[in-house]
């Protein structure tokens, strides 16, 4: 059971006390009122101490962080390195790990995926980085095994960068934030809320880490209870959890929209680090005698039941028992939500999976940084030993998270057991998490111990009439379902006693013989190896004093994911080619977005051609002339001071992936901003700013805005310089003009400078340091 306490609380001598229920005089007479004041007691959190040790400013309210290491995978590292090169990169100033776990399959676009890998290895050699070849490890498995350690901070260009269970505060961000570190700049944030998570009791039979994580996500996501906060885990319940179990909870905290996480460390963490040859990375980390938390969450582990997150979000949670008791009504609600999101032209149905009162699924997958741990797969093998997962519609696939994990599972017999039961074993690959592996058939239903089940995250294409869906479950219940040949079954329905996990053995030779480590040994004379799909970023202009933009897309869903802004799956193969990737922008949400945005971008190119003297002003197109004159200035004045572009509206965009491309594709197509009632995550808002897109806010939750509306933002550059947060915008529709107010709240001076420059890359070109 998960309980939320917004009033906050204290941890005093390892005992939790809610702030509004404390009698300080009787509880802690030895402590002074000053020691118990929130401003002092917040310094007792683990988070404060780690942030303080990495903060390069003299102000803990405005942090300027430098990280100990970074990690990227093959969807993101090409763009990051290309951006850093354009801004003056010489060598990698910190350990930077380039993994190859997303575009591992060379099945799209011919050679382009492997071309990216060749580029990555050449970059690791040239700039002094580390390179993990394809199929060796998913990014987070490798970082746990080789880099995470106590009191560290790690930055990754993947949203599930979470190593809190090893005492590392890890943050997933868009690529430009990694570029800043590569250029010896800092990660700048205001001091976040710290939320205490108190774990007590022990998990019940059949309950795994995904069940705990989904229970937490289901309680906090919709309310934004932990948004952009750091979750700090402590309490007596941690002692009984294995390290792999902690990993499984920790990595899923991303789906709560928190910023990061940190856990107490103990002898189990010490043993894990010693096993991986890094005992010197261990330090015991606990809150101080007194620690204050802005909010508190308690989790009674014994009350958690086997869970399922139904399509199309990790927060759409039910206990499996609840679902089985009322399958038709609950699944009908999923169908209804799909119709609202996809439209009525998509023939999505899931209630047909109910037969004789039972639910039958088509596919089970255990994979990635959340599912592919040694413990999950070892338990799965012991559960399924002697059973038969069938040779009909249902299939089970298992992806160990790394080659060392695969080796250990082979050595202890788990792989053989799973194969004999009919499971298919595959190498380390993130494909099932983002739609590039095991894409189900049309209208199939897949259950997965992976991280996300967003729309089309499994690889289907609604624009081509395809739709399938994923539910998230723990490996234990997926295995129970496999034992029953696809009949949805919670693990506690088949287990009679706890399964003892075989001791894990780690073989360091696997990485020693395959991973390239060039840190602090850059070979600057080496040339980068470019495939034909790897292209430089197109030129992006700096902000003009006025902007005239057309609304080219409106999204009225409660939440918009980055997968809907730029699809994952096979699209990922084109992420080294900005112009080609941009063709996929919003393709599974609004197929008209790209051509409409392009039309406005052509107008901007026409404006620049006239200024450059390559086109006569007398030949100006009517639409460009009309949009320029909408500023109320003379045509010649507006021509030189007004940029033309596009903008999108979405209620709450940016949930999910850290991928910067959700923003960069808009910029490449001539975008100048987003309008939203709120932004789902800090990382998406940062991506907008870093790509020169205004993160506009409207306080009007019923804003009357439509595709085709023209917005005039006069004196926007002056607003940037004045630090004002409100701008009056002229909205033109059918020749009629009205005024709306838009906000640019909480923009730092640096963020304003980046926006004025047009993007982060431009900004660094203009400064000398």
């Amino acid at each position: 059971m998960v309980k939320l306490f917004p009033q906050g609380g204290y941890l005093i001598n390892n005992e939790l006390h809610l702030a509004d229920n404390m009698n300080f005089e009787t509880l802690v007479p030895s402590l002074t009122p000053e020691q118990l004041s929130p401003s002092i007691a917040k310094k007792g959190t683990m988070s404060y101490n780690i942030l303080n040790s990495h903060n390069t400013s003299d102000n803990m309210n405005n942090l300027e962080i430098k990280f100990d290491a970074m990690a990227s995978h093959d969807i993101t590292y090409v763009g990051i390195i290309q951006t850093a090169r354009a801004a003056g990169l010489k060598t990698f100033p910190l350990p930077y790990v380039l993994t190859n776990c997303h575009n591992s399959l060379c099945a799209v676009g011919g050679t382009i995926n492997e071309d990216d890998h060749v580029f990555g290895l050449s970059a690791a050699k040239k700039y002094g980085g580390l390179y993990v070849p394809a199929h060796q490890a998913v990014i987070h498995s490798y970082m746990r095994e080789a880099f995470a350690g106590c009191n560290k901070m790690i930055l990754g260009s993947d949203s599930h960068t979470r190593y809190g269970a090893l005492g590392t505060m890890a943050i997933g961000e868009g690529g430009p934030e990694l570029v800043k570190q590569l250029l010896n700049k800092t990660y700048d944030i205001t001091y976040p809320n710290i939320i205490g998570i108190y774990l007590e009791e022990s998990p019940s039979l059949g309950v795994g880490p995904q069940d705990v994580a989904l229970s937490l996500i289901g309680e906090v996501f919709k309310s934004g209870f932990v948004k952009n906060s750091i979750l700090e885990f402590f309490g007596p319940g941690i002692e009984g959890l294995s390290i792999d179990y902690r990993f499984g909870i920790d990595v899923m905290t991303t789906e709560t929209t928190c910023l990061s996480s940190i856990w107490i460390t103990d002898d189990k963490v010490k043993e894990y680090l010693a096993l991986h040859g890094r005992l010197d990375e261990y330090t015991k980390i606990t809150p101080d005698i007194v620690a204050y938390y802005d909010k508190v969450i308690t989790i009674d582990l014994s009350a958690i039941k086997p869970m399922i997150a139904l399509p199309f979000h990790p927060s759409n949670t039910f206990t499996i028992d609840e679902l089985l008791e009322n399958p038709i009504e609950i699944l009908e609600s999923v169908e209804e939500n799909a119709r609202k999101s996809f439209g009525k032209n998509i023939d999505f149905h899931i209630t047909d999976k109910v037969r004789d009162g039972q639910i039958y699924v088509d596919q089970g997958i255990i994979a990635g940084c959340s599912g592919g741990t040694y413990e999950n797969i070892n338990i799965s093998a012991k559960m399924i030993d002697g059973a038969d997962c069938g040779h009909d519609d249902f299939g089970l696939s298992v992806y160990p998270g790394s080659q060392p994990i695969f080796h250990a599972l082979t050595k202890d017999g788990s792989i053989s057991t799973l194969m004999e039961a009919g499971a298919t074993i595959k190498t380390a690959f993130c494909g099932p998490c983002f739609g590039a592996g095991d894409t189900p058939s049309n209208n199939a239903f897949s259950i997965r111990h992976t991280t996300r089940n967003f729309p089309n995250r499994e690889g289907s294409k609604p624009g081509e009439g395809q739709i399938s869906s994923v539910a998230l479950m723990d490996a234990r219940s997926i295995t129970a379902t496999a034992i029953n040949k696809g009949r949805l079954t919670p693990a506690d329905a088949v287990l009679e006693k706890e399964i003892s996990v075989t001791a894990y053995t780690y073989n360091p030779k696997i990485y020693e013989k395959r991973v390239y480590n060039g840190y602090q040994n850059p070979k600057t004379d080496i040339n980068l190896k470019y495939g034909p799909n790897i292209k430089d970023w197109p030129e992006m202009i700096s902000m003009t004093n006025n902007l005239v933009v057309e609304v080219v897309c409106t999204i009225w869903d409660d939440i918009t994911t980055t997968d809907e802004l730029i699809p994952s799956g096979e699209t990922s193969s084109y992420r080294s080619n900005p112009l080609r990737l941009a063709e996929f922008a919003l393709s599974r949400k609004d197929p008209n977005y790209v051509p409409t945005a392009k039309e406005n971008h052509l107008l901007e190119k026409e404006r620049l051609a006239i200024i450059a003297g390559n086109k006569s002003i007398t030949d100006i197109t009517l639409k460009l002339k009309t949009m320029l004159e909408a500023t109320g200035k003379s045509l010649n004045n507006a021509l030189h001071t007004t940029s033309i572009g596009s903008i999108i509206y979405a209620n709450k965009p940016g949930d999910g992936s850290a991928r910067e491309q959700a923003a960069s594709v808009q910029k490449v197509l001539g975008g100048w901003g987003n309008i939203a009632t709120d932004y789902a995550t800090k990382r998406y808002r940062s991506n907008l700013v870093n790509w020169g897109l205004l993160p506009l806010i409207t306080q009007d939750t019923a804003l009357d805005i439509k595709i085709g509306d023209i917005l005039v933002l006069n004196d926007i550059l002056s607003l940037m310089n004045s630090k004002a947060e409100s701008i009056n915008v002229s909205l033109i529709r059918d020749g009629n003009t009205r005024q709306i107010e838009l906000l640019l709240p909480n923009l730092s001076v640096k963020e304003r400078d980046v926006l004025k420059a047009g993007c982060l890359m431009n900004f660094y070109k203009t400064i000398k340091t």
Side-chain angles (χ1 to χ4, degrees):
M1 181 178 295
V2 180
K3 293 182 179 180
L4 312 182
F5 300 95
Q7 68 267 38
Y10 292 79
L11 192 71
I12 301 176
N13 292 320
N14 292 318
E15 292 186 2
L16 180 65
H17 304 278
L18 300 179
D20 61 356
N21 290 334
M22 290 186 63
N23 185 331
F24 292 121
E25 293 182 358
T26 59
L27 182 66
V28 280
S30 62
L31 298 175
T32 67
E34 182 183 15
Q35 288 176 295
L36 292 167
S37 69
S39 62
I40 298 299
K42 76 174 185 179
K43 297 180 181 180
T45 65
M46 297 181 285
S47 301
Y48 183 92
N49 291 316
I50 292 176
L51 290 169
N52 186 39
S53 67
H54 290 80
N55 181 31
T56 63
S57 80
D58 57 2
N59 184 351
M60 282 298 288
N61 291 322
N62 295 298
L63 302 169
E64 297 178 1
I65 299 295
K66 283 202 170 183
F67 290 84
D68 298 295
M70 300 198 306
S72 293
H73 49 63
D74 45 350
I75 283 181
T76 56
Y77 65 61
V78 176
I80 291 168
I81 293 168
Q82 290 284 76
T83 303
R85 282 184 61 248
L89 173 69
K90 301 301 181 184
T91 61
F92 294 159
L94 73 171
Y96 185 23
V97 179
L98 311 180
T99 68
N100 296 275
C101 52
H102 278 60
N103 286 341
S104 305
L105 304 181
C106 300
V108 177
T111 68
I112 61 178
N113 287 347
E114 189 63 14
D115 290 343
D116 284 356
H117 301 163
V118 170
F119 173 92
L121 179 57
S122 70
K125 291 179 178 179
K126 182 177 183 66
Y127 298 115
L130 293 92
Y131 177 85
V132 183
H135 306 288
Q136 287 294 304
V138 301
I139 179 172
H140 305 309
S141 293
Y142 180 81
M143 294 305 289
R144 291 168 188 156
E145 293 166 343
F147 266 91
C150 301
N151 288 312
K152 281 186 172 183
M153 289 191 72
I154 292 177
L155 182 65
S157 58
D158 183 271
S159 57
H160 291 103
T161 305
R162 291 285 187 273
Y163 316 125
L166 292 176
T168 296
M169 186 175 290
I171 299 175
E173 281 284 1
E177 294 299 332
L178 280 79
V179 171
K180 292 177 184 177
Q181 297 288 309
L182 291 177
L183 300 176
N184 283 304
K185 308 303 180 183
T186 57
Y187 177 72
D188 303 333
I189 55 169
T190 57
Y191 190 84
N193 281 343
I194 312 300
I195 298 180
I197 299 192
Y198 187 79
L199 301 181
E200 54 189 342
E201 303 298 333
S202 299
S204 300
L205 181 67
V207 171
Q210 186 81 320
D211 299 315
V212 178
L214 293 178
S215 297
L216 175 61
I217 295 163
E219 288 294 330
V220 303
F221 176 80
K222 291 182 176 66
S223 66
F225 191 81
V226 304
K227 181 180 175 182
N228 296 333
S229 303
I230 294 176
L231 306 186
E232 188 157 309
F233 288 80
F234 48 80
I238 291 179
E239 183 179 357
L241 303 181
S242 69
I243 294 300
D244 273 0
Y245 204 110
R246 299 177 201 182
F247 289 161
I249 298 171
D250 188 54
V251 73
M252 290 297 292
T253 60
T254 295
E255 305 311 319
T256 68
T257 71
C258 74
L259 178 71
S260 188
S261 60
I262 191 70
W263 294 54
I264 62 169
T265 60
D266 55 16
D267 285 346
K268 290 182 180 179
V269 175
K270 186 176 183 180
E271 290 167 7
Y272 179 92
L273 292 172
L275 179 65
H276 290 80
R278 296 189 293 116
L279 180 59
D280 59 333
E281 300 274 9
Y282 177 74
T283 303
K284 186 174 180 60
I285 303 175
T286 62
D288 292 346
I289 294 174
V290 180
Y292 173 77
Y293 296 91
D294 299 286
K295 299 177 184 177
V296 170
I297 299 172
T298 63
I299 302 178
D300 179 352
L301 296 170
S302 67
I304 303 296
K305 298 282 289 179
M307 301 291 295
I308 184 168
L310 289 171
F312 287 97
H313 200 276
S315 65
N316 191 19
T317 54
F318 300 85
T319 68
I320 298 176
D321 287 342
E322 286 176 320
L323 176 60
L324 293 176
E325 288 169 5
N326 191 15
I328 295 296
E329 182 178 342
I330 293 175
L331 295 180
E332 280 180 343
S333 70
V334 173
E335 292 177 339
E336 178 59 28
N337 289 334
R339 282 189 287 272
K340 291 178 181 177
S341 180
F342 299 120
K344 296 181 180 179
N345 294 329
I346 297 295
D347 181 26
F348 173 71
H349 46 86
I350 195 171
T351 50
D352 60 352
K353 304 302 176 184
V354 182
R355 301 196 295 270
D356 299 325
Q358 299 294 320
I359 299 174
Y360 288 84
V361 302
D362 303 289
Q363 185 187 70
I365 295 175
I366 301 170
C369 54
S370 62
T373 63
Y374 173 80
E375 179 175 289
N376 281 340
I377 299 172
N378 182 252
I379 289 174
S380 177
K382 291 182 176 181
M383 286 179 65
I384 209 169
D385 189 12
D388 174 4
C389 65
H391 50 74
D392 206 336
D393 294 331
F394 177 81
L396 175 66
S397 293
V398 178
Y399 294 73
S402 71
Q403 286 290 84
I405 292 172
F406 201 153
H407 180 271
L409 291 165
T410 301
K411 189 175 179 181
D412 68 25
S414 296
I415 295 299
S416 295
T417 299
L418 286 161
M419 293 176 73
E420 287 174 0
T424 302
I425 310 300
K426 303 181 181 181
T427 55
F429 178 39
C430 296
C433 291
F434 76 101
D438 284 302
T439 302
S441 63
N442 188 50
N443 264 306
F445 186 27
S446 177
I447 54 173
R448 304 187 178 192
H449 192 154
T450 55
T451 55
R452 289 198 174 121
N453 61 335
F454 294 163
N456 320 121
R457 187 82 179 187
E458 79 302 325
S460 61
K461 301 178 182 179
E464 298 181 19
Q466 308 169 9
I467 187 70
S468 51
S469 57
V470 167
L472 301 182
M473 286 170 47
D474 189 82
R476 292 149 187 79
S477 291
I478 292 173
T479 306
T481 300
I483 291 169
N484 286 328
K485 299 178 174 58
R487 176 166 60 82
L488 191 69
T489 308
D492 58 0
V494 301
L495 285 173
E496 296 179 355
K497 62 179 182 179
E498 289 291 347
I499 291 175
S500 176
V501 178
T502 306
Y504 175 62
T505 57
Y506 175 73
N507 188 338
K509 295 180 181 178
I510 295 169
Y511 289 149
E512 289 170 3
K513 296 181 178 179
R514 283 299 294 143
V515 173
Y516 175 82
N517 186 347
Y519 178 56
Q520 294 185 325
N521 185 30
K523 300 176 181 178
T524 55
D525 57 330
I526 288 179
N527 293 323
L528 295 175
K529 294 184 178 180
Y530 287 89
N533 187 61
I534 299 175
K535 304 295 183 183
D536 289 329
W537 291 104
E539 184 178 356
M540 298 172 192
I541 70 166
S542 58
M543 182 180 287
T544 52
N545 197 46
N546 314 304
L547 299 176
V548 178
V549 294
E550 182 175 357
V551 179
V552 294
C553 177
T554 57
I555 305 173
W556 301 102
D557 297 345
D558 292 339
I559 297 283
T560 301
T561 68
T562 48
D563 286 69
E564 293 169 295
L565 295 169
I566 182 65
S568 55
E570 67 178 52
T571 306
S572 302
S573 296
Y574 299 102
R575 292 213 164 103
S576 302
N577 186 333
L579 293 174
R580 192 166 184 187
L581 178 66
E583 297 290 335
F584 295 92
L586 284 149
S587 59
R588 296 180 187 174
K589 194 67 180 176
D590 182 358
N592 293 319
Y593 167 73
V594 170
T596 310
K598 278 184 172 180
E599 288 177 7
N600 287 279
H601 199 29
L602 286 174
L603 296 177
E604 173 66 1
K605 291 179 179 179
E606 180 186 354
R607 181 185 76 87
L608 294 173
I610 294 172
I611 293 174
N614 298 323
K615 181 176 180 178
S616 172
I617 192 171
T618 59
D619 297 324
I620 190 170
T621 57
L622 177 60
K623 185 173 182 180
L624 176 58
K625 182 174 183 290
T626 301
M627 292 179 80
L628 290 172
E629 291 179 340
T631 61
K633 306 178 187 306
S634 70
L635 180 60
N636 189 60
N637 183 307
L639 190 69
H640 289 81
T641 62
T642 305
S643 181
I644 306 299
S646 58
I647 199 165
I648 71 171
Y649 173 88
N651 282 328
K652 195 175 184 180
D655 184 30
S657 173
R659 66 179 71 112
E660 63 179 281
Q661 294 91 349
S664 67
V665 290
Q666 298 177 51
K667 186 67 174 183
V668 166
L669 293 170
W672 274 108
N674 282 192
I675 303 172
T677 58
D678 192 13
Y679 291 97
T681 58
K682 180 264 177 197
R683 54 184 173 268
Y684 179 68
R685 181 188 174 280
S686 294
N687 284 337
L688 290 177
V689 171
N690 286 328
W691 283 106
L693 293 157
L694 295 165
L696 294 158
I697 291 287
T698 175
Q699 293 182 328
D700 182 0
T701 56
L703 180 65
D704 177 18
I705 192 167
K706 294 181 179 179
I707 293 174
D709 288 347
I710 302 297
L711 304 182
V712 181
L713 290 75
N714 275 337
D715 301 319
I716 186 68
L717 194 57
S718 300
L719 181 143
M720 289 288 112
N721 291 325
S722 71
K723 301 181 183 179
E725 294 191 343
S726 174
I727 180 170
N728 289 318
V729 176
S730 297
L731 185 154
I732 303 172
R733 181 188 301 165
D734 300 328
N736 299 312
T737 303
R738 60 186 171 87
Q739 298 298 309
I740 61 173
E741 183 186 37
L742 296 177
L743 305 176
L744 283 167
N746 304 316
L747 281 176
S748 69
V749 173
K750 286 184 181 179
E751 287 177 325
R752 288 172 183 267
D753 288 341
V754 170
L755 287 167
K756 289 189 294 183
C759 64
L760 184 74
M761 190 163 46
N762 288 359
F763 172 70
Y764 283 132
K765 287 178 182 177
T766 64
I767 60 176
K768 296 180 180 180
T769 56

